[in-house]
Amino acid sequence: MRIVDLEEAVAGVRSKDQVFVHGGAATPTILLNALTARAPELEDVGIVHFHTEGPAPHLEPEMAGHFRHRALFIGANAREAVNAGRADYVPIFLSDVPELFASGVLPLDVAILNVSTPDAHGYCSLGTSVDAALAAAHAATTVIAQLNASMPRTLGDSFIHLDEIDLAIEVDQPPYEHREGEVGDVARRIGEHVAELVPDGATLQMGIGSIPAAVGLALRDKRDLGIHTELFTDPVLDLVEAGAITGAAKEINRYKIVTAFLMGSRRLYEFVDDNPMIEMRPVDYTNDTTVIRRFRRMVAINSAISIDLTGQVSADSIGTRFYSGVGGQMDFMRGAALSPEGRAIIALPSTAANGTVSRIAPILAPGAGVVTSRAHVRTVVTEHGVAELFGRSVRERARALIAIAHPEFQDELEHEARRLYHV
C-alpha cells in the first residue's frame, strides 16, 4: 500500500473501467468527488454501488457519457438518474451480489473504500458497511481507500489488510448519520400490532424507517431478543439499553448482533466501535436463507409500496418508476417462513399520498415489480390490524386484506374483489 495525495489516488482510473463505490454511511465522498472532477478526461466509466449517502456528483446530468451508474439498490440520490435513463438498475437479491463480483459476471477494475485506520497488525475495518464491499475488494484489480480516523472499527468478517490496498489517502470524515423522524400515530399502531406477534427469545430482522422505529418502541418489554439482519439503526441500540436484546436465545451467533451494514447517529457509531457484541458479516451470510431458517423464532419485518388483494407485494417500484430495489426482502421472507416458529411479516401503512391512495389495491399498478410473490407472503400488518394469508385461497386473502385496509377504501376494494375474484 502507498499513501498518496488525493489526485494521485484516483489518477489510475481509466475510461470504461468498472468502479465499485462503498455505500451507506461509509460512502467515500472525498475520493468520489476527486474521481468526478476528472470527468472531462474520462468516458464510460461504470460506477457500481448500493445506495450512497451524501452528494452524488457522478449522477448529475452533465456527467452523462463520462460516468454511468449501475444501481444494485436505488438510493434517494439515484432515483432521478435511473428513471431519466442516465443510470441503470439491476434487480438482484442482496445475497447474490458478492457472487456477482466473485464470479466475474460483473468484473470490477477498481474498488473505492472508506475504512478505519489500521490496527497494530495492519488490518483495517470496513466499518459501517461490509455488505458486498468485502467481495468487491477481493474481486477488484485495484483497491483505493480512505484511511479514516473517524470510521468505527467494527468486528467480525469486516477486515481488509493493508497489503490488499493499493493506494490510500488519510482522512478524518465521520460516517454519514441517519436520524429517525418522529414516530407518528399510524406507525405507532403498526408497531404495536407487529410487537404482539414477536415472542420472547425471537431473533429479529428489522430495517430502517418509521415502522422499524415504531416496532422498536413497542418491543421494550420483551426479553432475550436477538438480531440477525442486513441493516440496523438506533432502535436496536435502544432495545439493547432497555435490556430487551441480549441474544441469549439465538441458536447460532449467540449473544451477537449480526448485521451487514448499519446507519444511525454518532451515538450508534460509538457503540459499535470495537464492540464484540457487534458481528459484521457480508450479505451472502446475513441474507443466506439456509442461515436465517436456523433461528427457531425468526421474525422478519419488511415493508412494501403496495400489495394487491391476492398478496403480491411491490417494493421496488411505483408502477414503472423504479424507487428502491429488490434488496433482502425475499431472502428474509423465505428464511423466516422456513424457520420452525418463524414469522414473515410485511408491514405497511394502509394509505399513501396523504391518505388519498390505498396501498392495498385490487391489482398492482401496471409495470409494478413483484418483489415478494403471493405464495411467499404470510402475514400482513397495517395500522388497522393483522391479515394471515398462509394457506388462504385468493378469495379468503382478499377478505383478510380488505379488513385491514383503510375504511374509506373498503367499499371500493370489496366491489373490485367481487368483480375480479368472485368474492
Side-chain angles (χ1 to χ4, degrees):
M1 183 202 72
R2 287 194 301 126
I3 295 178
V4 297
D5 62 29
L6 183 57
E7 290 72 22
E8 185 178 354
V10 298
V13 177
R14 301 168 298 179
S15 294
K16 301 188 185 303
D17 275 354
Q18 291 291 320
V19 180
F20 173 84
V21 175
H22 209 167
T27 301
T29 296
I30 295 171
L31 284 170
L32 185 57
N33 287 344
L35 177 61
T36 308
R38 291 190 55 213
E41 59 192 90
L42 295 171
E43 294 181 359
D44 297 327
V45 174
I47 304 291
V48 181
H49 55 72
F50 295 126
H51 95 278
T52 56
E53 292 291 305
H58 59 295
L59 289 165
E60 295 298 327
E62 60 269 23
M63 292 297 150
H66 302 291
F67 300 103
R68 189 169 183 90
H69 173 40
R70 183 178 291 261
L72 305 175
F73 191 93
I74 303 169
N77 58 15
R79 284 184 197 126
E80 192 275 330
V82 169
N83 287 291
R86 300 195 312 275
D88 298 308
Y89 165 49
V90 180
I92 188 169
F93 295 131
L94 212 60
S95 57
D96 286 342
V97 175
E99 178 61 19
L100 183 70
F101 299 151
S103 66
V105 171
L106 180 54
L108 296 177
D109 299 291
V110 179
I112 295 179
L113 306 176
N114 189 4
V115 302
S116 73
T117 53
D119 62 20
H121 305 287
Y123 285 93
C124 302
S125 170
L126 288 164
T128 59
S129 294
V130 171
D131 46 62
L134 191 62
H138 293 158
T141 304
T142 300
V143 175
I144 306 170
Q146 295 182 178
L147 301 183
N148 190 350
S150 289
M151 179 61 73
R153 181 178 182 269
T154 58
L155 308 180
D157 192 4
S158 61
F159 291 98
I160 179 171
H161 195 271
L162 289 175
D163 289 345
E164 299 176 83
I165 298 172
D166 297 286
L167 302 170
I169 62 170
E170 295 178 312
V171 305
D172 191 349
Q173 180 192 41
Y176 283 97
E177 292 189 51
H178 171 85
R179 294 189 180 278
E180 302 288 355
E182 290 289 326
V183 174
D185 184 59
V186 169
R188 180 186 57 78
R189 283 184 281 153
I190 293 171
E192 290 170 354
H193 289 310
V194 170
E196 290 177 359
L197 304 174
V198 178
D200 288 342
T203 298
L204 304 177
Q205 175 246 335
M206 295 167 57
I208 193 169
S210 61
I211 291 176
V215 172
L217 289 173
L219 290 174
R220 286 175 175 265
D221 292 331
K222 301 289 183 177
R223 289 292 173 264
D224 290 331
L225 299 177
I227 297 291
H228 181 97
T229 188
E230 66 192 28
L231 161 67
F232 79 82
T233 58
D234 282 74
V236 167
L237 173 54
D238 295 338
L239 288 172
V240 172
E241 293 180 344
I245 289 176
T246 66
K250 293 178 72 177
E251 284 73 17
I252 56 174
N253 308 129
R254 188 165 292 178
Y255 303 110
K256 302 286 188 178
I257 293 174
V258 176
T259 189
F261 62 109
L262 53 95
M263 291 183 62
S265 65
R266 182 183 294 266
R267 168 174 159 261
L268 179 68
Y269 300 146
E270 291 173 352
F271 171 75
V272 303
D273 184 43
D274 210 25
N275 186 343
M277 187 181 192
I278 309 302
E279 184 164 321
M280 305 292 290
R281 291 289 195 105
V283 287
D284 53 358
Y285 178 83
T286 59
N287 291 46
D288 184 342
T289 302
T290 64
V291 173
I292 297 165
R293 69 184 298 179
R294 293 174 64 185
F295 298 101
R296 185 167 189 83
R297 297 184 180 94
M298 184 71 209
V299 179
I301 306 161
N302 286 274
S303 61
I305 291 171
S306 63
I307 182 170
D308 72 13
L309 290 178
T310 74
Q312 294 185 113
V313 169
S314 177
D316 71 339
S317 65
I318 301 172
T320 58
R321 180 176 173 80
F322 295 117
Y323 186 79
S324 55
V326 173
Q329 181 171 125
M330 264 303 303
D331 297 327
F332 278 95
M333 290 293 289
R334 191 57 182 155
L338 294 172
S339 167
E341 298 175 29
R343 278 278 190 178
I345 299 170
I346 294 290
L348 72 165
S350 64
T351 64
N354 295 317
T356 63
V357 176
S358 177
R359 288 181 183 260
I360 297 175
I363 60 174
L364 296 180
V370 176
V371 167
T372 301
S373 79
R374 56 172 71 103
H376 287 100
V377 174
R378 296 204 170 192
T379 302
V380 181
V381 177
T382 73
E383 70 272 27
H384 299 292
V386 178
E388 298 290 2
L389 304 189
F390 181 57
R392 301 281 185 93
S393 70
V394 168
R395 290 192 302 149
E396 291 167 336
R397 285 164 173 250
R399 291 192 190 100
L401 288 167
I402 291 169
I404 64 168
H406 194 284
E408 289 189 10
F409 295 97
Q410 288 182 349
D411 288 346
E412 177 185 342
L413 290 170
E414 287 172 357
H415 173 77
E416 291 299 300
R418 286 192 295 270
R419 184 177 70 86
L420 295 170
Y421 306 119
H422 311 289
V423 173

